[in-house]
Amino acid sequence: MLTKVMSATHFGLDTLPVEVEVNIAKKGFPGFNIIGLPSKSVEEAKERVKTALVNSGVEFPNAKIVVNLAPADIPKEGSSYDLPIACGILRSLEAISLPSEKMFFYGELSLDGSLRHTKGVLLLALYAKERGIKSLFVPKDSSFEAAVVSGVRVYPVENLAQILSHFNGGGQIGVFRGLKEIDIHEDIFPEIDFSDILGQESAKRALEIAASGGHNVHMQGPPGSGKTMLARAMAGILPPLSEKESLEVTKIYSVSGNLPAGASLVYDRPFRVSHHTTSRIGLIGGGSNPHPGEISLAHRGVLFLDEFPEFSRGTLEALRQPMEDGEVSITRAAGSVKFPASFMLVAASNPCPCGYLGDAKRECKCSPRQIMRYQTKLSGPLMDRIDIHINVPALDVDELMERGVVKKPERSISVRERVLRARKIQLKRFEKDGIYTNSDMKNKHIKKYCVLDSAGQAILKQAVNTYGLSARTYFRIIKVARTIADLAGRKDIDATCVAEALQYRVRSSD
């Protein structure tokens, strides 16, 4: 008997329907074959499904079973086909009766017949809503993420016994009632508070500006000056995700398997830390079946790259296009996919391999050749895409012992309040433009929203002529100045805003 069950596959963030055709024939040699470009993990479904059915009290047929995953020209990966294959076999055996209504079955089986948390359920729910398919049968641990999509009925399945009971009238699986509205977390408890960091007031100010406008930051200083602490403390001043941003981020985490069982939406802005040994594919994304890299997992959040020059040059240069476009395009034989990658880059580096070039107290032991090789790893076009460059000097003993401190260090919660106010100004400004922050502005937005007074124009013009700044740098300075004005609550950009924005660019070009 031939049975057809609906499921789906994911290619990047796109969802494609898959029709699982199951045919059980009494004639021919007994066997169990899966066709339709299955991967190794799909091939292994034969043993999982067979054992799960037997352990659920179903007598597995001694017959020729053929499972076709259509369309056959699309590669199939993952374990999500276990449940639809099992339901197809049960229907072909007339152990259950499936209604004519279109419904999706999706999930991985354990050998005892229970269902495991399976990645990509949120994308399935969004696709089902788009296509008008009302019913989804998914693992119970994955139903939280599907339930945030209104207009679909999510049936949380614990095991195959429930499927048998549900479709035979023995007991209905109740529709899952989960989270419907995002709950914004206003109270935060950062791992490192700004008040825990001694000194470095200028660096803190720069990070506040960066967090307010979504700007990229490069910190340079000797070992032990506090660059890593500053970067990690930034997580405590970032605003919460909006509902739209939360859905964008959760889709990426769902399809990549980074959303834990029982989770619904990602509430907090991502803060990703990549080691300098991370490969290009690990950072940018890719693979035979393209998956998101760290830059996409940091979407709408922060990507922290410590020891910036220690990354391979090819890996660093691959950052240029995503930093400019806010997305990464990956092309493979099966097609092209795009992953969103609108992230804030926070990079930290030493001035030389030993770290003490220009230090007043410790002598640099690097040769000129070593210094040049180290510094040239960071190309001009890459550094040009970083809005804010700051020096993080070593602290002297008085600062370490908190002697002579004029005022008590400000806590992250106070800084975050100013960041939130600046972000709200930007959200209102760009509500009709489809962007969120000043760093997202294109040239047309800069012309519309960034009005400089005459003194500010004069200062900027002089800086461009004196330092030979590029057109990209010119516009990035204006974006940072716009954020500084937002923090100050100013409608227009005056000379003081431009002057402060310039100091974060010119110092790296001296």
Side-chain angles (χ1 to χ4, degrees):
M1 180 177 177
L2 175 64
T3 299
K4 296 181 180 181
V5 177
M6 290 300 298
S7 190
T9 189
H10 307 296
F11 189 68
L13 294 182
D14 295 325
T15 301
L16 304 172
V18 173
E19 194 170 49
V20 179
E21 301 176 322
V22 179
N23 187 70
I24 300 179
K26 295 182 179 179
K27 295 182 179 180
F29 290 104
F32 191 173
N33 295 308
I34 299 177
I35 59 177
L37 286 185
S39 66
K40 180 66 175 175
S41 60
V42 179
E43 282 281 353
E44 291 173 348
K46 292 185 290 187
E47 296 302 324
R48 288 194 299 272
V49 170
K50 179 180 178 180
T51 307
L53 286 170
V54 170
N55 287 331
S56 300
V58 177
E59 184 178 350
F60 198 80
N62 186 29
K64 184 178 182 179
I65 303 174
V66 178
V67 176
N68 179 42
L69 306 177
D73 59 343
I74 298 175
K76 316 299 188 308
E77 286 199 3
S79 54
S80 61
Y81 304 104
D82 291 4
L83 180 60
I85 291 172
C87 289
I89 291 174
L90 289 172
R91 174 67 183 87
S92 293
L93 293 173
E94 299 184 347
I96 61 173
S97 177
L98 295 178
S100 58
E101 172 198 356
K102 282 189 175 181
M103 54 185 66
F104 277 124
F105 293 85
Y106 188 95
E108 176 186 340
L109 285 170
S110 296
L111 297 183
D112 61 358
S114 61
L115 272 83
R116 297 178 179 274
H117 172 57
T118 309
K119 64 182 182 181
V121 169
L122 175 60
L123 276 74
L124 175 70
L126 291 168
Y127 179 81
K129 180 179 180 179
E130 179 185 327
R131 293 303 176 96
I133 297 174
K134 300 295 185 181
S135 300
L136 306 179
F137 289 82
V138 298
K140 183 179 180 180
D141 286 341
S142 304
S143 54
F144 292 86
E145 55 184 284
V148 302
V149 181
S150 60
V152 294
R153 295 187 297 269
V154 180
Y155 294 92
V157 183
E158 292 187 43
N159 49 53
L160 285 178
Q162 279 192 327
I163 291 287
L164 287 162
S165 178
H166 179 85
F167 290 107
N168 288 330
Q172 295 290 308
I173 301 173
V175 176
F176 185 79
R177 305 294 180 187
L179 181 69
K180 290 297 180 184
E181 295 180 358
I182 184 170
D183 178 24
I184 300 298
H185 291 183
E186 291 293 345
D187 297 325
I188 58 165
F189 303 95
E191 177 187 359
I192 299 175
D193 196 279
F194 263 31
S195 61
D196 298 331
I197 303 172
L198 302 176
Q200 307 299 6
E201 297 304 321
S202 61
K204 292 177 185 178
R205 167 65 177 172
L207 292 180
E208 178 184 340
I209 295 168
S212 298
H215 303 290
N216 300 320
V217 183
H218 175 227
M219 296 183 288
Q220 187 179 82
S225 58
K227 302 186 296 296
T228 302
M229 278 191 72
L230 283 162
R232 291 187 178 275
M234 195 172 184
I237 65 171
L238 294 172
L241 291 165
S242 67
E243 186 172 357
K244 186 177 179 181
E245 288 176 317
S246 178
L247 192 59
E248 290 177 12
V249 174
T250 307
K251 284 170 64 177
I252 299 168
Y253 276 65
S254 176
V255 77
S256 63
N258 283 278
L259 202 63
S264 54
L265 289 172
V266 176
Y267 301 104
D268 300 319
R269 291 192 182 272
F271 187 90
R272 305 290 299 187
V273 182
S274 292
H275 192 263
H276 63 263
T277 56
T278 303
S279 68
R280 180 172 173 172
I281 289 178
L283 191 66
I284 306 301
S288 55
N289 182 32
H291 57 81
E294 286 294 323
I295 63 172
S296 294
L297 293 172
H299 181 61
R300 301 299 175 194
V302 174
L303 175 64
F304 176 46
L305 302 183
D306 205 358
E307 305 296 342
F308 200 34
E310 297 296 340
F311 285 80
S312 70
R313 187 179 178 91
T315 299
L316 292 178
E317 292 305 303
L319 286 171
R320 287 162 51 180
Q321 179 263 329
M323 288 172 66
E324 196 72 21
D325 299 338
E327 64 181 16
V328 58
S329 301
I330 301 170
T331 302
R332 294 292 181 267
S336 297
V337 298
K338 289 184 178 181
F339 290 114
S342 182
F343 63 96
M344 285 174 55
L345 174 65
V346 177
S349 69
N350 298 326
C352 66
C354 78
Y356 297 106
L357 179 66
D359 191 272
K361 297 181 180 179
R362 300 192 64 171
E363 181 182 356
C364 175
K365 298 179 181 179
C366 305
S367 68
R369 183 179 179 85
Q370 287 175 317
I371 295 171
M372 183 180 70
R373 184 182 299 170
Y374 184 80
Q375 293 181 344
T376 52
K377 278 190 175 182
L378 306 178
S379 69
L382 175 63
M383 299 301 280
D384 210 28
R385 287 169 167 82
I386 298 178
D387 305 339
I388 297 174
H389 299 261
I390 53 177
N391 292 323
V392 184
L395 298 174
D396 59 33
V397 67
D398 285 338
E399 289 177 300
L400 288 173
M401 299 181 71
E402 298 186 278
R403 292 200 299 241
V405 176
V406 177
K407 62 179 181 178
K408 187 177 180 181
E410 192 174 23
R411 293 186 62 208
S412 291
I413 191 169
S414 301
V415 180
R416 187 172 186 257
E417 287 175 0
R418 294 195 295 270
V419 171
L420 285 169
R421 284 197 296 269
R423 286 284 184 120
K424 287 177 181 177
I425 291 171
Q426 293 165 61
L427 285 173
K428 185 177 180 180
R429 175 186 298 138
F430 303 129
E431 60 183 351
K432 295 181 180 179
D433 297 293
I435 58 178
Y436 297 99
T437 62
N438 291 329
S439 64
D440 297 329
M441 286 192 293
K442 305 299 181 184
N443 290 355
K444 63 179 180 179
H445 302 126
I446 293 173
K447 183 180 291 187
K448 182 178 180 181
Y449 299 117
C450 301
V451 179
L452 278 65
D453 65 12
S454 56
Q457 291 178 13
I459 292 173
L460 186 54
K461 182 178 180 180
Q462 183 181 357
V464 171
N465 292 331
T466 302
Y467 296 101
L469 303 179
S470 68
R472 181 185 289 116
T473 301
Y474 170 83
F475 287 115
R476 286 184 179 273
I477 290 170
I478 294 177
K479 291 180 185 180
V480 175
R482 176 70 271 174
T483 301
I484 294 169
D486 290 341
L487 280 167
R490 299 187 183 118
K491 183 178 179 181
D492 294 333
I493 304 169
D494 62 20
T496 58
C497 299
V498 175
E500 185 176 2
L502 276 169
Q503 75 171 343
Y504 299 124
R505 293 298 300 228
V506 170
R507 67 173 62 190
S508 64
S509 304
D510 289 342

